[in-house]
Amino acid sequence: MSKYEIPKVKLFEFDMRFQIFPEFVYYDFAKPTTIIRTTRLNFTASWKLTSIAACEKGSYDRILCDPPFLSTDCQTKVAITVRWLSKISSNGTQEQGPRIIVCTGERMEELVYKLYHGIKTTEFRPKHAKDRLSNDFRCYANFESELWKSQQQEAANGNVADPPK
């Protein structure tokens, strides 16, 4: 993508309040490879069930996900969706594929490391606007950015503990 291209964005979301945005795609993590496309007709929605495999599979080179629940089931199913959506690299794998950011509770860290190839804990800490998060949240990414350092980089500098193996 050139610096002048406007990225195409989709919001995969369960909450129907977001359907006011044209980027909205209804998503239920319990059905990780099924999405419902909505079409607006005079402020009413007609629903059409569509498989991700048919319309979205392998289409995304950047994915930001925030699984709604801190459970193994939810995290695993969201990871399945991320794999389905991930663009395959030129060598036929996802290893050099999309940039992935996962924001979730710190207690999910070990599972996140198992579910996402090459993911690392970053120094970025998601915060709620009114500080209502009851769990410590972390941001994990499979790429480096000038906007954050991974905890592995900080550990090398003696600033934080190493992530789980």
Side-chain angles (χ1 to χ4, degrees), residues 31-48:
K31 299 172 186 162
T33 59
T34 301
I35 61 170
I36 296 175
R37 290 278 193 180
T38 61
T39 308
R40 247 182 207 274
L41 301 170
N42 299 328
F43 299 104
T44 62
S46 64
W47 300 95
K48 180 180 176 187

PDB file of all heavy atoms in Angstrom, residues 31-48:
ATOM      1  N   LYS A  31     -19.192 -18.525  16.266  1.00  0.00           N
ATOM      2  CA  LYS A  31     -19.211 -19.077  14.902  1.00  0.00           C
ATOM      3  C   LYS A  31     -18.035 -18.451  14.152  1.00  0.00           C
ATOM      4  O   LYS A  31     -18.220 -17.544  13.342  1.00  0.00           O
ATOM      5  CB  LYS A  31     -20.535 -18.765  14.217  1.00  0.00           C
ATOM      6  CG  LYS A  31     -21.724 -19.365  14.932  1.00  0.00           C
ATOM      7  CD  LYS A  31     -23.016 -18.882  14.332  1.00  0.00           C
ATOM      8  CE  LYS A  31     -24.164 -19.399  15.192  1.00  0.00           C
ATOM      9  NZ  LYS A  31     -25.382 -18.669  14.944  1.00  0.00           N
ATOM     10  N   PRO A  32     -16.825 -18.919  14.417  1.00  0.00           N
ATOM     11  CA  PRO A  32     -15.624 -18.206  13.972  1.00  0.00           C
ATOM     12  C   PRO A  32     -15.407 -18.105  12.467  1.00  0.00           C
ATOM     13  O   PRO A  32     -14.655 -17.238  12.030  1.00  0.00           O
ATOM     14  CB  PRO A  32     -14.484 -18.966  14.632  1.00  0.00           C
ATOM     15  CG  PRO A  32     -15.029 -20.285  15.010  1.00  0.00           C
ATOM     16  CD  PRO A  32     -16.500 -20.107  15.211  1.00  0.00           C
ATOM     17  N   THR A  33     -16.055 -18.917  11.667  1.00  0.00           N
ATOM     18  CA  THR A  33     -15.866 -18.808  10.217  1.00  0.00           C
ATOM     19  C   THR A  33     -17.164 -18.452   9.497  1.00  0.00           C
ATOM     20  O   THR A  33     -17.341 -18.753   8.323  1.00  0.00           O
ATOM     21  CB  THR A  33     -15.278 -20.109   9.625  1.00  0.00           C
ATOM     22  OG1 THR A  33     -16.170 -21.183   9.904  1.00  0.00           O
ATOM     23  CG2 THR A  33     -13.896 -20.390  10.179  1.00  0.00           C
ATOM     24  N   THR A  34     -18.076 -17.785  10.207  1.00  0.00           N
ATOM     25  CA  THR A  34     -19.330 -17.333   9.611  1.00  0.00           C
ATOM     26  C   THR A  34     -19.529 -15.868   9.952  1.00  0.00           C
ATOM     27  O   THR A  34     -19.341 -15.463  11.091  1.00  0.00           O
ATOM     28  CB  THR A  34     -20.524 -18.143  10.158  1.00  0.00           C
ATOM     29  OG1 THR A  34     -20.302 -19.517   9.867  1.00  0.00           O
ATOM     30  CG2 THR A  34     -21.831 -17.690   9.537  1.00  0.00           C
ATOM     31  N   ILE A  35     -19.901 -15.090   8.964  1.00  0.00           N
ATOM     32  CA  ILE A  35     -20.253 -13.696   9.203  1.00  0.00           C
ATOM     33  C   ILE A  35     -21.607 -13.434   8.591  1.00  0.00           C
ATOM     34  O   ILE A  35     -22.079 -14.179   7.740  1.00  0.00           O
ATOM     35  CB  ILE A  35     -19.223 -12.711   8.623  1.00  0.00           C
ATOM     36  CG1 ILE A  35     -19.105 -12.868   7.110  1.00  0.00           C
ATOM     37  CG2 ILE A  35     -17.881 -12.867   9.296  1.00  0.00           C
ATOM     38  CD1 ILE A  35     -18.308 -11.786   6.449  1.00  0.00           C
ATOM     39  N   ILE A  36     -22.244 -12.377   9.038  1.00  0.00           N
ATOM     40  CA  ILE A  36     -23.513 -11.970   8.455  1.00  0.00           C
ATOM     41  C   ILE A  36     -23.303 -10.593   7.853  1.00  0.00           C
ATOM     42  O   ILE A  36     -22.948  -9.646   8.532  1.00  0.00           O
ATOM     43  CB  ILE A  36     -24.644 -11.934   9.504  1.00  0.00           C
ATOM     44  CG1 ILE A  36     -24.884 -13.343  10.035  1.00  0.00           C
ATOM     45  CG2 ILE A  36     -25.910 -11.358   8.894  1.00  0.00           C
ATOM     46  CD1 ILE A  36     -25.891 -13.423  11.148  1.00  0.00           C
ATOM     47  N   ARG A  37     -23.495 -10.510   6.567  1.00  0.00           N
ATOM     48  CA  ARG A  37     -23.413  -9.237   5.866  1.00  0.00           C
ATOM     49  C   ARG A  37     -24.753  -8.520   6.014  1.00  0.00           C
ATOM     50  O   ARG A  37     -25.800  -9.141   5.909  1.00  0.00           O
ATOM     51  CB  ARG A  37     -23.156  -9.474   4.380  1.00  0.00           C
ATOM     52  CG  ARG A  37     -21.806  -9.989   4.089  1.00  0.00           C
ATOM     53  CD  ARG A  37     -20.916  -8.829   4.071  1.00  0.00           C
ATOM     54  NE  ARG A  37     -19.639  -9.194   3.508  1.00  0.00           N
ATOM     55  CZ  ARG A  37     -18.682  -8.338   3.395  1.00  0.00           C
ATOM     56  NH1 ARG A  37     -18.842  -7.111   3.779  1.00  0.00           N
ATOM     57  NH2 ARG A  37     -17.538  -8.707   2.917  1.00  0.00           N
ATOM     58  N   THR A  38     -24.717  -7.232   6.229  1.00  0.00           N
ATOM     59  CA  THR A  38     -25.964  -6.480   6.304  1.00  0.00           C
ATOM     60  C   THR A  38     -26.040  -5.545   5.109  1.00  0.00           C
ATOM     61  O   THR A  38     -25.052  -5.014   4.647  1.00  0.00           O
ATOM     62  CB  THR A  38     -26.048  -5.649   7.595  1.00  0.00           C
ATOM     63  OG1 THR A  38     -24.973  -4.730   7.615  1.00  0.00           O
ATOM     64  CG2 THR A  38     -26.012  -6.526   8.819  1.00  0.00           C
ATOM     65  N   THR A  39     -27.250  -5.390   4.632  1.00  0.00           N
ATOM     66  CA  THR A  39     -27.514  -4.460   3.548  1.00  0.00           C
ATOM     67  C   THR A  39     -28.598  -3.520   4.027  1.00  0.00           C
ATOM     68  O   THR A  39     -29.653  -3.963   4.478  1.00  0.00           O
ATOM     69  CB  THR A  39     -27.996  -5.206   2.286  1.00  0.00           C
ATOM     70  OG1 THR A  39     -27.078  -6.248   1.998  1.00  0.00           O
ATOM     71  CG2 THR A  39     -28.117  -4.264   1.113  1.00  0.00           C
ATOM     72  N   ARG A  40     -28.350  -2.230   3.956  1.00  0.00           N
ATOM     73  CA  ARG A  40     -29.326  -1.255   4.421  1.00  0.00           C
ATOM     74  C   ARG A  40     -30.316  -0.900   3.313  1.00  0.00           C
ATOM     75  O   ARG A  40     -29.926  -0.527   2.230  1.00  0.00           O
ATOM     76  CB  ARG A  40     -28.601   0.009   4.843  1.00  0.00           C
ATOM     77  CG  ARG A  40     -28.698   0.227   6.280  1.00  0.00           C
ATOM     78  CD  ARG A  40     -27.994   1.513   6.608  1.00  0.00           C
ATOM     79  NE  ARG A  40     -27.545   1.398   7.948  1.00  0.00           N
ATOM     80  CZ  ARG A  40     -28.308   1.706   8.988  1.00  0.00           C
ATOM     81  NH1 ARG A  40     -29.509   2.165   8.820  1.00  0.00           N
ATOM     82  NH2 ARG A  40     -27.844   1.556  10.190  1.00  0.00           N
ATOM     83  N   LEU A  41     -31.580  -1.014   3.663  1.00  0.00           N
ATOM     84  CA  LEU A  41     -32.640  -0.600   2.753  1.00  0.00           C
ATOM     85  C   LEU A  41     -33.597   0.297   3.536  1.00  0.00           C
ATOM     86  O   LEU A  41     -34.341  -0.176   4.376  1.00  0.00           O
ATOM     87  CB  LEU A  41     -33.403  -1.811   2.211  1.00  0.00           C
ATOM     88  CG  LEU A  41     -32.569  -2.842   1.445  1.00  0.00           C
ATOM     89  CD1 LEU A  41     -33.388  -4.085   1.194  1.00  0.00           C
ATOM     90  CD2 LEU A  41     -32.079  -2.251   0.136  1.00  0.00           C
ATOM     91  N   ASN A  42     -33.538   1.586   3.280  1.00  0.00           N
ATOM     92  CA  ASN A  42     -34.409   2.549   3.961  1.00  0.00           C
ATOM     93  C   ASN A  42     -34.419   2.365   5.481  1.00  0.00           C
ATOM     94  O   ASN A  42     -35.448   2.211   6.102  1.00  0.00           O
ATOM     95  CB  ASN A  42     -35.842   2.464   3.427  1.00  0.00           C
ATOM     96  CG  ASN A  42     -35.911   2.780   1.960  1.00  0.00           C
ATOM     97  OD1 ASN A  42     -35.123   3.595   1.472  1.00  0.00           O
ATOM     98  ND2 ASN A  42     -36.810   2.148   1.243  1.00  0.00           N
ATOM     99  N   PHE A  43     -33.256   2.360   6.078  1.00  0.00           N
ATOM    100  CA  PHE A  43     -33.055   2.253   7.521  1.00  0.00           C
ATOM    101  C   PHE A  43     -33.512   0.927   8.113  1.00  0.00           C
ATOM    102  O   PHE A  43     -33.708   0.799   9.304  1.00  0.00           O
ATOM    103  CB  PHE A  43     -33.721   3.418   8.265  1.00  0.00           C
ATOM    104  CG  PHE A  43     -33.150   4.729   7.860  1.00  0.00           C
ATOM    105  CD1 PHE A  43     -33.847   5.574   7.011  1.00  0.00           C
ATOM    106  CD2 PHE A  43     -31.896   5.119   8.298  1.00  0.00           C
ATOM    107  CE1 PHE A  43     -33.302   6.783   6.621  1.00  0.00           C
ATOM    108  CE2 PHE A  43     -31.347   6.325   7.904  1.00  0.00           C
ATOM    109  CZ  PHE A  43     -32.049   7.163   7.065  1.00  0.00           C
ATOM    110  N   THR A  44     -33.729  -0.061   7.279  1.00  0.00           N
ATOM    111  CA  THR A  44     -33.979  -1.414   7.778  1.00  0.00           C
ATOM    112  C   THR A  44     -32.856  -2.279   7.253  1.00  0.00           C
ATOM    113  O   THR A  44     -32.224  -1.959   6.259  1.00  0.00           O
ATOM    114  CB  THR A  44     -35.332  -1.980   7.291  1.00  0.00           C
ATOM    115  OG1 THR A  44     -35.307  -2.066   5.880  1.00  0.00           O
ATOM    116  CG2 THR A  44     -36.486  -1.106   7.757  1.00  0.00           C
ATOM    117  N   ALA A  45     -32.600  -3.355   7.923  1.00  0.00           N
ATOM    118  CA  ALA A  45     -31.513  -4.222   7.483  1.00  0.00           C
ATOM    119  C   ALA A  45     -32.081  -5.537   6.987  1.00  0.00           C
ATOM    120  O   ALA A  45     -32.953  -6.120   7.610  1.00  0.00           O
ATOM    121  CB  ALA A  45     -30.546  -4.478   8.634  1.00  0.00           C
ATOM    122  N   SER A  46     -31.605  -5.966   5.849  1.00  0.00           N
ATOM    123  CA  SER A  46     -31.931  -7.315   5.406  1.00  0.00           C
ATOM    124  C   SER A  46     -30.680  -8.149   5.650  1.00  0.00           C
ATOM    125  O   SER A  46     -29.569  -7.699   5.397  1.00  0.00           O
ATOM    126  CB  SER A  46     -32.323  -7.325   3.923  1.00  0.00           C
ATOM    127  OG  SER A  46     -31.238  -6.925   3.130  1.00  0.00           O
ATOM    128  N   TRP A  47     -30.845  -9.330   6.188  1.00  0.00           N
ATOM    129  CA  TRP A  47     -29.710 -10.139   6.607  1.00  0.00           C
ATOM    130  C   TRP A  47     -29.438 -11.245   5.614  1.00  0.00           C
ATOM    131  O   TRP A  47     -30.355 -11.890   5.130  1.00  0.00           O
ATOM    132  CB  TRP A  47     -30.003 -10.770   7.972  1.00  0.00           C
ATOM    133  CG  TRP A  47     -30.240  -9.743   9.015  1.00  0.00           C
ATOM    134  CD1 TRP A  47     -31.453  -9.257   9.416  1.00  0.00           C
ATOM    135  CD2 TRP A  47     -29.265  -9.056   9.754  1.00  0.00           C
ATOM    136  NE1 TRP A  47     -31.289  -8.305  10.375  1.00  0.00           N
ATOM    137  CE2 TRP A  47     -29.947  -8.162  10.612  1.00  0.00           C
ATOM    138  CE3 TRP A  47     -27.881  -9.082   9.806  1.00  0.00           C
ATOM    139  CZ2 TRP A  47     -29.289  -7.323  11.494  1.00  0.00           C
ATOM    140  CZ3 TRP A  47     -27.223  -8.252  10.686  1.00  0.00           C
ATOM    141  CH2 TRP A  47     -27.929  -7.386  11.514  1.00  0.00           C
ATOM    142  N   LYS A  48     -28.183 -11.448   5.337  1.00  0.00           N
ATOM    143  CA  LYS A  48     -27.785 -12.529   4.457  1.00  0.00           C
ATOM    144  C   LYS A  48     -26.602 -13.239   5.118  1.00  0.00           C
ATOM    145  O   LYS A  48     -25.582 -12.617   5.406  1.00  0.00           O
ATOM    146  CB  LYS A  48     -27.372 -11.985   3.086  1.00  0.00           C
ATOM    147  CG  LYS A  48     -26.937 -13.064   2.126  1.00  0.00           C
ATOM    148  CD  LYS A  48     -26.533 -12.463   0.795  1.00  0.00           C
ATOM    149  CE  LYS A  48     -26.008 -13.547  -0.121  1.00  0.00           C
ATOM    150  NZ  LYS A  48     -25.466 -12.991  -1.344  1.00  0.00           N
TER     151      LYS A  48
END
